[in-house]
């Protein structure tokens, strides 16, 4: 277990996302009003930078480049979205957001290991 | 040559000629291979070649920037097979309904300048083509490598002739080349129809069109179809046409005729980004409205909270389309109610 401090809970306003570098691992922290999610900072579809392309409305994150979207409460995929979001476990302590980061979460098209068996997952 | 594609929904195979791209061969066979622009700029049709030899036509295609060629990643729209091939595509593939695209020949005639840098032209087809309002074709010449996409302006069944709009770009190979041809007839290869940003009257929706510059082309086809189908007897239409200045606008007479035919259930607003629209009306176009500002801002201001039961069509340069989609999502429009085309 490696719980790492991301930021203070008040550093990311409601319905916004902010990118952090945690020991070399890029993390996007999303405040969707009813909670937070810590995710890789790129869209699993075409690797668009979600800090810029993402919009959060009514607990739904939409990448506005190609309209993939996810319910941030349930992580349900919406519309024509074909890949789930990967998320880091998070918790809040004393006004801080912590994420459990064992290793960097990546999407398979970006997999540096070249493990083609993961290509579709 | 036999192309086998493994996807999230299983495996499928089709034949591909040596002079056609893998994307076009698969679409021609009725498979819904992923694509948006079909001309190398967007990157949606990426795939991984697992075995077999291929030739990549446009190696520096902007849509290929994020690919890993060392792993065999290619854009299917730029790739021709040199042998039987096995590919993987990271999406779900199924047989499509609707019109299958096909290769045809065409002759360009009657190039007519509409503004300083926009021209209208007719494409006469060797075989008639069925298409949906909002679709486009890709044109290629022998003289220039790579295809360019153009949305149909007209709407006809079994069309032997389609009307297209071209914007001349500085250094924009095909358009420069075509402008230079003057009155000559120009032979081109045609592939289409393509594109999913289509209007279907049976969906029973109000229409909102937000277009930048030559992005108005496909909207004209949508207006022609909806007008002819009597759509505005039961539904509203709102068209926002963004141009830099009034002298960059075109098709205004045609747009005004659609407004008249709809008994004003259709409203058309011309948004001027680089000129002050001094009045909300213009004496030459009493049926149209005029506003100052970026088209996505003008549309957002006018439409705020009025998107109920609407299908929103967006077309234009990438930055304009991105800004518009962002504004729509923030305004609460569902992603399934947005259809877009990026012209790049």
């Amino acid at each position: 277990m490696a719980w790492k401090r991301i930021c203070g809970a008040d550093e990311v306003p409601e319905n916004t996302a902010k990118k952090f570098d945690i020991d070399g691992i890029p993390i996007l922290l999303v405040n969707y009003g009813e909670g937070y999610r810590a995710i890789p900072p790129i869209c699993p579809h075409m690797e668009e930078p979600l800090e810029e392309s993402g919009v959060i409305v009514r607990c739904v994150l939409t990448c506005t480049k190609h309209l993939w979207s996810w319910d941030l409460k349930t992580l349900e995929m919406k519309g024509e979205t074909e890949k789930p979001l990967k998320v880091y476990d998070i918790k809040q302590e004393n006004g801080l957001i912590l994420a459990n980061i064992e290793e960097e979460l990546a999407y398979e098209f970006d997999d540096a290991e070249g493990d083609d068996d993961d290509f579709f997952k | 040559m036999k192309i086998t594609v493994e996807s999230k929904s299983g495996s499928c195979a089709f034949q591909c000629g040596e002079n056609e791209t893998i994307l076009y061969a698969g679409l021609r066979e009725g498979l819904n291979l992923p694509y948006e622009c079909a001309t190398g700029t967007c990157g949606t049709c990426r795939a991984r070649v697992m075995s077999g030899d291929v030739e990549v036509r446009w190696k520096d295609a902007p849509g290929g920037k994020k690919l890993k060629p060392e792993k065999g990643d290619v854009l299917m729209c730029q790739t021709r097979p040199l042998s039987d091939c096995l590919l993987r595509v990271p999406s779900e593939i199924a047989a499509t309904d609707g019109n299958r695209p096909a290769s045809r020949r065409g002759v360009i005639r009657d190039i007519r300048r509409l503004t300083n840098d926009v021209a209208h032209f007719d494409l006469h087809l060797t075989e008639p083509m069925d298409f949906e309002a909002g679709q486009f074709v890709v044109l290629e010449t022998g003289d220039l490598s790579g295809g360019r996409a153009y949305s149909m302006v007209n709407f006809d069944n079994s069309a032997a002739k389609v009307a297209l709009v071209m914007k001349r770009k500085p250094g924009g190979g095909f358009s420069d080349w075509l402008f230079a041809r003057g009155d000559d007839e120009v032979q081109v290869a045609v592939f289409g129809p393509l594109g999913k940003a289509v209007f279907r009257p049976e969906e029973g929706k109000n229409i909102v069109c937000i277009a930048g510059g030559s992005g108005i082309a496909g909207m004209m086809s949508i207006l022609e179809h909806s007008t002819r189908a009597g759509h505005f007897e039961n539904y509203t239409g709102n068209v926002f046409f963004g141009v830099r200045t009034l002298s960059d606008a075109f098709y205004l007479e045609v747009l005004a005729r659609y407004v008249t035919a709809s008994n004003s259930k259709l409203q058309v607003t011309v948004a001027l980004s680089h000129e002050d629209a001094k009045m909300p009306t213009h004496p030459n176009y009493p049926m149209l409205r005029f506003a100052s500002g970026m088209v996505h801002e003008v549309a957002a201001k006018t439409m705020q909270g009025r998107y109920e039961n609407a299908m929103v069509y967006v077309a234009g340069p990438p930055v304009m389309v991105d800004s518009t989609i962002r504004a729509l999502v923030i305004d609460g429009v569902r992603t399934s109610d947005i259809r877009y085309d990026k012209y790049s």
Side-chain angles (χ1 to χ4, degrees):
Chain A
M1 298 286 274
W3 287 97
K4 305 226 168 122
R5 177 198 158 143
I6 307 265
C7 63
D10 55 358
E11 280 183 57
V12 182
E14 189 171 327
N15 290 333
T16 67
K18 193 171 174 186
K19 195 169 150 185
F20 294 91
D21 182 310
I22 309 297
D23 300 336
I25 295 180
I27 304 276
L28 190 72
L29 191 76
V30 184
N31 177 353
Y32 59 94
E34 296 180 26
Y36 296 82
R37 289 286 185 188
I39 60 177
I42 59 165
C43 178
H45 178 215
M46 300 275 288
E47 303 176 32
E48 303 291 349
L50 284 170
E51 191 181 20
E52 292 150 35
S53 66
V55 169
I56 303 120
V57 178
R58 290 196 287 267
C59 301
V60 173
L61 169 66
T62 302
C63 176
T64 55
K65 283 287 179 179
H66 304 96
L67 298 175
W68 279 25
S69 55
W70 304 263
D71 185 318
L72 290 169
K73 269 196 291 193
T74 63
L75 294 178
E76 173 200 359
M77 295 186 278
K78 313 275 285 182
E80 297 190 2
T81 309
E82 291 185 9
K83 279 185 186 173
L85 274 186
K86 294 190 173 182
V87 297
Y88 297 91
D89 286 339
I90 57 168
K91 62 182 179 183
Q92 287 192 57
E93 273 178 13
N94 307 320
L96 297 176
I97 311 253
L98 302 136
N100 185 9
I101 302 169
E102 299 282 1
E103 57 177 356
E104 181 172 1
L105 298 178
Y107 297 104
E108 288 67 30
F109 208 79
D110 193 38
D111 185 355
E113 297 301 311
D115 183 355
D116 290 326
D117 289 335
D118 287 343
F119 190 64
F120 301 104
K121 287 178 190 159
Chain B
M1 281 159 284
K2 185 183 177 192
I3 308 298
T4 306
V5 175
E6 289 180 349
S7 74
K8 288 166 82 174
S9 50
S11 177
C12 54
F14 53 89
Q15 288 294 320
C16 181
E18 58 187 11
N19 287 320
E20 67 182 336
T21 66
I22 291 173
L23 176 68
Y24 289 10
L27 295 175
R28 185 173 53 65
E29 288 291 314
L31 297 171
N32 70 338
L33 297 178
Y35 77 95
E36 265 180 20
C37 75
T39 54
T41 58
C42 77
T44 305
C45 67
R46 73 225 163 105
R48 187 164 287 177
V49 180
M50 307 305 293
S51 69
D53 294 324
V54 297
E55 178 189 56
V56 175
R57 188 159 64 157
W58 184 14
K59 292 187 178 60
D60 299 325
K65 271 188 292 195
K66 291 172 185 164
L67 298 181
K68 296 188 169 58
E70 70 278 8
K71 290 189 185 177
D73 291 355
V74 296
L75 299 178
M76 289 186 282
C77 72
Q78 298 301 322
T79 304
R80 298 177 195 192
L82 299 173
S83 69
D84 291 354
C85 290
L86 173 65
L87 273 70
R88 285 183 162 192
V89 173
S91 50
E92 293 178 10
I93 296 176
T96 53
D97 48 3
N99 302 317
R100 288 184 185 188
S103 293
R104 291 175 176 78
R105 302 287 306 173
V107 180
I108 292 174
R109 290 191 192 129
D110 304 324
I111 303 173
R112 184 159 50 88
R113 204 171 271 225
L114 299 173
T115 71
N116 195 31
D117 59 358
V118 174
H120 173 114
F121 61 98
D122 288 335
L123 177 68
H124 296 255
L125 299 165
T126 49
E127 291 167 59
M129 178 173 77
D130 281 320
F131 61 92
E132 295 185 86
Q135 288 197 293
F136 63 88
V137 289
V138 174
L139 306 188
E140 277 183 51
T141 71
D143 302 28
L144 293 158
S145 64
R148 300 293 296 216
Y150 298 96
S151 293
M152 272 68 82
V153 174
N154 59 323
F155 178 75
D156 290 298
N157 294 319
S158 293
K161 182 177 87 171
V162 294
L164 307 171
V165 172
M166 171 184 57
K167 181 171 167 45
R168 184 179 202 173
K169 295 175 190 165
F174 189 85
S175 59
D176 269 352
W177 179 82
L178 198 54
F179 264 78
R181 297 300 283 245
D183 296 332
D184 293 356
E185 288 195 348
V186 180
Q187 301 269 348
V188 289
V190 184
F191 187 78
L194 293 167
K196 296 156 202 160
V198 298
F199 165 68
R200 292 181 177 141
E202 64 274 18
E203 289 175 332
K205 296 250 185 189
N206 298 318
I207 297 173
V208 179
C209 298
I210 306 170
S214 54
I216 196 72
M219 310 305 187
M220 301 305 285
S221 185
I222 289 172
L223 290 176
E224 177 64 27
H225 188 186
S226 50
T227 299
R228 230 187 276 168
H231 197 70
F232 298 119
E233 289 166 20
N234 300 310
Y235 303 98
T236 62
N238 278 279
V239 174
F240 299 89
F241 180 17
V243 286
R244 288 170 59 85
T245 67
L246 189 56
S247 64
D248 296 306
F250 49 95
Y251 290 151
L252 297 189
E253 291 86 357
V254 191
L255 287 165
R257 281 205 295 276
Y258 287 131
V259 174
T260 304
S262 76
N263 283 323
S264 296
K265 295 285 287 294
L266 169 69
Q267 294 183 348
V268 175
T269 304
V270 181
L272 308 175
S273 62
H274 287 68
E275 187 176 38
D276 186 18
K278 294 182 184 66
M279 302 280 280
T281 56
H282 189 282
N284 295 353
Y285 309 103
M287 301 308 289
L288 307 182
R289 301 170 178 207
F290 293 82
S292 305
M294 305 300 284
V295 66
H296 70 276
E297 293 167 356
V298 171
K301 202 169 147 191
T302 311
M303 293 304 299
Q304 193 174 29
R306 295 176 55 210
Y307 289 107
E308 198 179 332
N309 193 37
M311 183 61 76
V312 187
Y313 301 89
V314 187
V319 174
M320 173 263 156
V321 173
D322 289 348
S323 313
T324 304
I325 291 178
R326 171 174 282 269
L328 291 170
V329 171
I330 289 171
D331 223 350
V333 180
R334 291 184 307 176
T335 55
S336 55
D337 292 335
I338 302 172
R339 294 179 184 162
Y340 65 91
D341 242 333
K342 290 182 199 182
Y343 289 26
S344 38

